Amino acid sequence: MLQNMRNNAQGIVAKVIVGLLVLSFALWGIHSIIGSFSSEPKVAEVNGDAITQAQFERLVELQRQQTLAQMQKPDPAAIDQAKLKKTVLNSMIEQMVMYQDAKNHGLRLSDRDVDNLIASQPSFQQNGKFNEQAFEARVRNMGLTVGSFRDLVRKEYLIRQIQAGIVSSGFISDAEVNDIMKLRFQTRSFKQLSLPKSLVAKDVTVTDDEIKKYYDEHPADFVAPESIDAAYIELSVNGLLDQVQVSDKALHDLYTQKMDGYKAHEERDAAQILVEDKGGEKAVKAKLDAIKKQIDSGADFAALARKYSDDVATAKKGGELGYATKGTYTPAFDEAVFSMKKGQVKGPIKTPFGYHFIKLLDIRQQPKPTFAQMEGKLRHELKMQEARKLFATKLSSLQDAVFTADSLQGPAKTFGLKVQEVNGVTRKGGAAPFDHPGLVNKLYSDDVLKNGNNSDAVHLGDDAVVFTRVLKHHAEHQQALDQVREQVKKTLEQQQIYVKLEDRAKSLIAKLESGADDNAVSKDVGQAWASYDAVGRDDQKVSGDVLKKVFDMPHPDGKKATYATVRTDDGLAIVQLDAVQDPEASTLKARFDGFERYLAAQSGSKDYYDYRQQLQQKADVVRN
Amino acid sequence: MDYRTEEEQLEALKNWWKKNGGSLLVGVALALAIVFGWKGWQNHQANQRAAAASHFNDMLDALNNDDSKKRMSSMDFIASQMRKDYGSSVYTVFANLLMAKEQVQQKQFDKALDSLSWAQKHVGEKDPLRLVVDERLARAQFAANKPDAALNTLQEIKDPGSFAASYKELEGDILKSQGKTSEAIAAYKAARKAAGDTPSPILDLKLSDLAGAEGS
């Protein structure tokens, strides 16, 4: 074999192969050869380009962290991992498609350009210069490597270029804007006559046959979703409050302790004039000097605040900030306020908000509260403390007890808890505490549902823990007629009421169209017409359903009104549309510019949205 | 071909070199020339790309000028330079789209149509970007009061794909302006259908106003 190769090495074929290898290494580097043979696991292939398992996992984890960080009470159990993975994969595929499109359009970004982009990001700079350590730390914090971050920057940048080209060039002609505005601000004048359900309700009867027929014809309406009757026990700090005792001595000790540190409750009322750091150093300095001069010559501080302060909210009140304790403001400001004498003025003092002049208006001491005043609060505080301790000790032994037991009764008895039940918890949740998605996930988990075990602890916030188990599992099933008879009856009654009302309305409309007197018609049903003049689409006086109908109706032909009926909460309404009005020219003119900008932007964004859809649909995606 | 001693091996090598040395040197030189030539070409391409990109960014900046005369003249200057120097770059297509937007806004409709025709000629028929360009062209033709040309542009597109809703809505607008109410309604309804679940409040406005006129 080796001998053969040596012989052939001199042959023309081998020379060509070696030549090609040399050439491809030179052009694309060794990665192009090694890379295409690598067997890294892939989660998807998009038009032939792979998304590797490693890339995918990294972003899933990143997304998970971000989701957790956004939750008010971070709870990993509440995250639907499958959904999260799907979302991440979809967005990776979408990004890949858009990036390929950018490349297909000849867009590239050299490594040096990527580096320049990164270096110009303010968040990676210190004192206006790129800081490599800051950069690497931030990238690591995001859970990325420097390499994958650069890759991301490159992709996003090129995708944005195409986006900018399509979105910023979206336009709309003046004529189109005017047409749309005419529709948007059109007004209509109409009258409305209500036909309440009571008008026909006494004539409605529903027979058993009709009920049976409806039930048979609409099986899908009577499917009960999968549900679980669940038992649960809850251990909570609040539930333990009764079991803890607080001694009088402890109460008095806590009171004394609190009163020791009471000085901190001094409050100071300050006023300020804020000069924001904008408009250039010169302008700022001029303004500061002007204010300083007037303060020194004894001008009224409140009047100056009203005139000069950039803090609009306090300026109106003469700059007064109100009483506050130490530590309320930013350090520099806080320090100044709490080192001043009453009536003194200081400044300018620099803070991140700008420059402040400060006047100390008043100092007051919160009067020391008596023990009697404090007792209730202190008792609660101590009890909560004790209950939390008890909660922590009980929790770990309760966990063990629940884990080893094959029901909740035993552990409940031992720990003085009550087994409670909630019926009909669907996968979407149920009555409290099953309005907590983490708990529902747990209830439907294999371990609890299939194996019939007690669940492990699910934390509802910091101070309560729930254990649950399945009492009874109901598969999705068809409800029997007797279970839903009343419901069907009600549905049918409503249907018949509306049929009768529609009939009534039809004959009334016929009368109106043939020229009957409006008031005679309304008298016939014992109601009065309600008239509305020049109502716009956003009108609040008219109910939403009626308003929508009014604007869906045919325009009146000359003087001949058009009619329609619309269902309302309490019956049916007849609508008589008398006139359609174009908006005033002044309305159009006043709002033209805003609308034009909005519609042009909208048009560009819509095009880009369509463009993306188009690429996604044409893409050849293989998911592994 | 077993060589027993070093001398024999050396001898064989020398012979081989005499026979093939020349052509090998030529081969190596050729390979190097190709490599450097290719690298040079790549560099040139990269420079062209970077220059076109920077012109495109200038164009976007120019768009933000509040003075409409200056805006038009600087955009016009950059765009014409790009057409001259970077005619095959997609950035120049975008520059023409931006130009057309400005021209429509300043009611220079013929010029807008020129810009868009240029873009149309420089985007392949199968390029998805073509769907954007064609839609813009039809919209500009409609604005230029050439409704028939606009309809024609729309009809020439064989497969509007994801742009179907936008196309049909524009078609409805044009038909409505020509007084062809029932055809306009049909177009709007087709647009509504193509849009699927995507909310499009403006289309709904147009449709409800006309559907009324038809009594549906």
Side-chain angles (χ1 to χ4, degrees):
Chain A
M1 167 78 187
L2 280 176
Q3 186 62 42
N4 257 342
M5 269 184 71
R6 247 160 79 188
N7 294 345
N8 286 338
Q10 292 170 359
I12 192 89
V13 177
K15 274 185 206 154
V16 168
I17 289 173
V18 171
L20 280 177
L21 276 176
V22 168
L23 201 66
S24 60
F25 282 148
L27 289 181
W28 296 286
I30 195 149
H31 290 290
S32 64
I33 309 296
I34 310 295
S36 59
F37 293 134
S38 86
S39 55
E40 244 191 292
K42 294 172 251 192
V43 283
E45 229 172 274
V46 182
N47 294 325
D49 286 347
I51 295 175
T52 68
Q53 185 81 33
Q55 291 168 328
F56 173 61
E57 298 290 346
R58 200 152 49 215
L59 282 193
V60 168
E61 183 51 30
L62 192 63
Q63 191 61 43
R64 215 176 72 88
Q65 302 284 358
Q66 278 173 3
T67 312
L68 274 180
Q70 278 161 10
M71 288 181 170
Q72 275 186 335
K73 291 180 182 165
D75 174 11
I79 295 182
D80 184 341
Q81 189 76 4
K83 200 170 140 197
L84 179 81
K85 281 189 168 178
K86 209 172 139 192
T87 315
V88 170
L89 185 58
N90 283 344
S91 77
M92 285 182 88
I93 290 173
E94 184 171 331
Q95 192 202 36
M96 179 76 94
V97 171
M98 299 317 291
Y99 177 54
Q100 287 167 341
D101 174 64
K103 284 199 296 186
N104 290 343
H105 280 109
L107 301 192
R108 298 283 185 281
L109 207 57
S110 72
D111 289 346
R112 209 173 57 203
D113 291 336
V114 174
D115 290 342
N116 286 338
L117 274 178
I118 290 173
S120 66
Q121 288 254 334
S123 51
F124 300 140
Q125 289 178 347
Q126 259 175 12
N127 307 323
K129 268 191 178 162
F130 175 65
N131 181 302
E132 192 154 345
Q133 267 117 24
F135 164 65
E136 281 180 14
R138 297 222 29 178
V139 168
R140 264 200 305 275
N141 263 341
M142 284 186 265
L144 294 170
T145 63
V146 170
S148 59
F149 183 78
R150 293 170 91 227
D151 196 44
L152 223 55
V153 168
R154 182 197 313 273
K155 284 180 179 161
E156 282 303 316
Y157 181 82
L158 292 182
I159 291 170
R160 290 267 158 78
Q161 296 267 287
I162 300 274
Q163 182 180 6
I166 294 176
V167 172
S168 338
S169 60
F171 66 83
I172 185 156
S173 71
D174 290 3
E176 276 184 279
V177 177
N178 266 317
D179 284 348
I180 292 170
M181 286 181 75
K182 271 188 195 158
L183 291 180
R184 175 64 187 79
F185 297 110
Q186 187 184 76
T187 56
R188 297 190 168 196
S189 301
F190 67 97
K191 296 206 289 190
Q192 177 188 343
L193 180 66
S194 295
L195 308 183
K197 288 179 184 172
S198 58
L199 213 56
V200 295
K202 57 185 182 307
D203 305 331
V204 166
T205 45
V206 176
T207 65
D208 281 353
D209 283 351
E210 283 169 329
I211 292 175
K212 172 97 174 60
K213 187 161 173 266
Y214 185 88
Y215 174 82
D216 290 340
E217 282 172 0
H218 299 85
D221 290 0
F222 306 108
V223 173
E226 177 189 15
S227 70
I228 292 176
D229 297 341
Y232 72 93
I233 52 176
E234 178 173 349
L235 179 70
S236 71
V237 174
N238 282 332
L240 293 172
L241 282 178
D242 292 342
Q243 297 181 27
V244 293
Q245 299 297 327
V246 176
S247 72
D248 284 348
K249 182 175 180 305
L251 277 174
H252 282 284
D253 283 352
L254 183 61
Y255 177 72
T256 321
Q257 187 192 332
K258 293 234 166 188
M259 291 310 110
D260 266 359
Y262 199 71
K263 234 185 180 166
H265 280 250
E266 177 190 283
E267 293 181 319
R268 294 189 168 208
D269 183 18
Q272 68 150 344
I273 300 169
L274 172 68
V275 177
E276 281 178 359
D277 198 357
K278 65 180 183 197
E281 210 174 308
K282 250 190 181 164
V284 172
K285 183 154 190 316
K287 193 170 173 186
L288 289 175
D289 287 346
I291 297 172
K292 178 95 175 124
K293 211 168 142 196
Q294 293 182 61
I295 288 174
D296 290 345
S297 63
D300 178 35
F301 191 87
L304 291 176
R306 269 188 276 272
K307 191 170 171 194
Y308 291 108
S309 181
D310 287 330
D311 185 23
V312 185
T314 59
K316 279 184 248 158
K317 294 181 282 182
E320 188 171 347
L321 293 158
Y323 287 96
T325 51
K326 191 161 172 52
T328 307
Y329 304 113
T330 46
F333 195 96
D334 211 58
E335 202 175 299
V337 169
F338 281 86
S339 64
M340 288 163 76
K341 288 200 200 88
K342 187 172 162 180
Q344 194 189 350
V345 177
K346 255 192 191 175
I349 284 157
K350 175 114 176 72
T351 74
F353 299 102
Y355 297 91
H356 308 257
F357 291 96
I358 306 170
K359 179 174 183 180
L360 186 60
L361 301 175
D362 191 26
I363 302 175
R364 74 175 181 197
Q365 305 291 339
Q366 280 279 40
K368 210 172 185 179
T370 63
F371 178 74
Q373 279 173 332
M374 297 276 288
E375 192 185 345
K377 223 172 119 189
L378 294 177
R379 184 179 298 277
H380 182 71
E381 192 179 326
L382 278 180
K383 276 188 133 187
M384 284 299 280
Q385 266 179 26
E386 291 304 313
R388 284 210 172 90
K389 278 186 215 155
L390 190 59
F391 177 76
T393 36
K394 282 202 170 197
L395 178 56
S396 69
S397 47
L398 178 60
Q399 258 167 332
D400 290 344
V402 170
F403 181 72
T404 47
D406 52 10
S407 83
L408 291 173
Q409 311 295 343
K413 209 169 169 197
T414 319
F415 287 83
L417 300 169
K418 213 174 123 212
V419 179
Q420 302 180 75
E421 294 175 12
V422 171
N423 290 343
V425 180
T426 67
R427 283 183 188 267
K428 285 182 185 149
F434 293 91
D435 48 356
H436 183 277
L439 184 57
V440 177
N441 281 348
K442 196 63 88 179
L443 181 63
Y444 275 91
S445 68
D446 282 353
D447 192 45
V448 176
L449 178 54
K450 276 201 192 138
N451 306 340
N453 291 327
N454 290 337
S455 76
D456 46 15
V458 177
H459 289 261
L460 312 177
D462 293 335
D463 289 345
V465 147
V466 168
F467 299 86
T468 186
R469 74 179 277 122
V470 174
L471 288 178
K472 197 161 182 217
H473 176 234
H474 308 276
E476 184 184 279
H477 65 280
Q478 196 71 33
Q479 285 168 289
L481 176 56
D482 279 342
Q483 277 178 290
V484 293
R485 186 176 295 276
E486 274 312 300
Q487 180 194 339
V488 176
K489 194 172 170 208
K490 269 208 184 106
T491 309
L492 287 174
E493 277 172 0
Q494 291 301 310
Q495 276 185 2
Q496 288 195 18
I497 285 175
Y498 278 112
V499 169
K500 286 191 192 297
L501 285 177
E502 292 281 359
D503 281 350
R504 191 72 176 270
K506 215 186 253 173
S507 70
L508 292 176
I509 289 174
K511 275 190 198 166
L512 288 165
E513 281 175 330
S514 59
D517 179 52
D518 296 355
N519 291 323
V521 168
S522 61
K523 226 175 183 176
D524 188 29
V525 291
Q527 300 285 322
W529 288 96
S531 291
Y532 298 92
D533 191 39
V535 167
R537 291 178 191 270
D538 307 320
D539 196 278
Q540 303 290 324
K541 296 189 294 284
V542 185
S543 88
D545 295 334
V546 173
L547 195 63
K548 184 172 182 318
K549 184 49 125 188
V550 165
F551 278 92
D552 278 345
M553 285 169 70
H555 292 209
D557 186 9
K559 286 213 161 167
K560 242 177 126 195
T562 52
Y563 295 91
T565 59
V566 56
R567 286 187 185 192
T568 61
D569 288 342
D570 41 49
L572 199 70
I574 296 178
V575 177
Q576 172 184 316
L577 179 59
D578 292 315
V580 173
Q581 300 97 6
D582 274 345
E584 303 276 338
S586 61
T587 307
L588 295 183
K589 214 173 156 198
R591 308 187 69 161
F592 185 87
D593 284 346
F595 250 75
E596 202 259 317
R597 247 193 317 274
Y598 167 74
L599 289 171
Q602 176 98 337
S603 159
S605 308
K606 173 105 179 44
D607 285 344
Y608 185 63
Y609 176 81
D610 288 346
Y611 183 72
R612 261 180 16 186
Q613 294 293 108
Q614 177 74 8
L615 286 169
Q616 304 298 328
Q617 273 164 28
K618 296 272 171 211
D620 176 18
V621 178
V622 184
R623 288 161 201 259
N624 297 341
Chain B
M1 286 259 256
D2 266 330
Y3 305 113
R4 294 283 159 83
T5 68
E6 273 183 35
E7 276 117 86
E8 272 174 359
Q9 283 187 24
L10 206 63
E11 193 57 30
L13 209 60
K14 273 182 184 162
N15 283 336
W16 183 87
W17 181 251
K18 257 185 210 155
K19 217 162 75 189
N20 299 312
S23 54
L24 187 71
L25 278 181
V26 170
V28 168
L30 205 64
L32 285 177
I34 290 172
V35 168
F36 285 112
W38 176 250
K39 286 262 170 195
W41 168 244
Q42 276 193 320
N43 270 339
H44 172 71
Q45 291 282 83
N47 289 338
Q48 286 284 102
R49 231 173 358 238
S54 117
H55 277 74
F56 170 66
N57 283 322
D58 291 347
M59 194 82 183
L60 288 175
D61 287 344
L63 193 64
N64 289 325
N65 196 325
D66 285 332
D67 181 331
S68 64
K69 263 193 188 152
K70 277 187 195 154
R71 188 167 65 228
M72 177 66 90
S73 67
S74 53
M75 285 176 74
D76 204 15
F77 176 74
I78 304 169
S80 62
Q81 213 174 23
M82 288 177 80
R83 278 192 292 265
K84 187 162 68 76
D85 294 338
Y86 317 106
S88 59
S89 167
V90 74
Y91 285 121
T92 309
V93 172
F94 289 141
N96 276 276
L97 294 186
L98 288 166
M99 202 64 235
K101 170 196 171 79
E102 189 56 30
Q103 285 156 336
V104 168
Q105 238 68 111
Q106 300 203 20
K107 302 206 166 42
Q108 303 181 3
F109 296 117
D110 288 339
K111 287 189 179 170
L113 295 183
D114 287 346
S115 302
L116 288 166
S117 300
W118 192 98
Q120 200 190 35
K121 276 194 205 90
H122 287 77
V123 177
E125 263 189 52
K126 293 212 168 134
D127 187 332
L129 192 55
R130 180 64 178 266
L131 293 169
V132 177
V133 176
D134 286 347
E135 191 216 336
R136 302 270 169 91
L137 179 62
R139 194 177 285 277
Q141 283 166 329
F142 180 37
N145 203 15
K146 295 179 177 168
D148 290 324
L151 282 178
N152 195 38
T153 302
L154 289 177
Q155 272 146 21
E156 265 178 26
I157 300 144
K158 285 177 210 91
D159 178 14
S162 302
F163 286 76
S166 303
Y167 279 30
K168 280 291 167 190
E169 184 174 344
L170 182 55
E171 193 181 308
D173 291 345
I174 300 168
L175 291 166
K176 183 185 165 192
S177 80
Q178 293 179 316
K180 297 175 185 166
T181 309
S182 56
E183 285 164 273
I185 292 173
Y188 285 148
K189 283 190 171 158
R192 180 69 271 184
K193 201 173 161 209
D197 296 338
T198 319
S200 31
I202 292 173
L203 174 61
D204 292 343
L205 277 188
K206 293 171 180 171
L207 192 55
S208 79
D209 197 60
L210 279 194
E214 279 297 290
S216 74

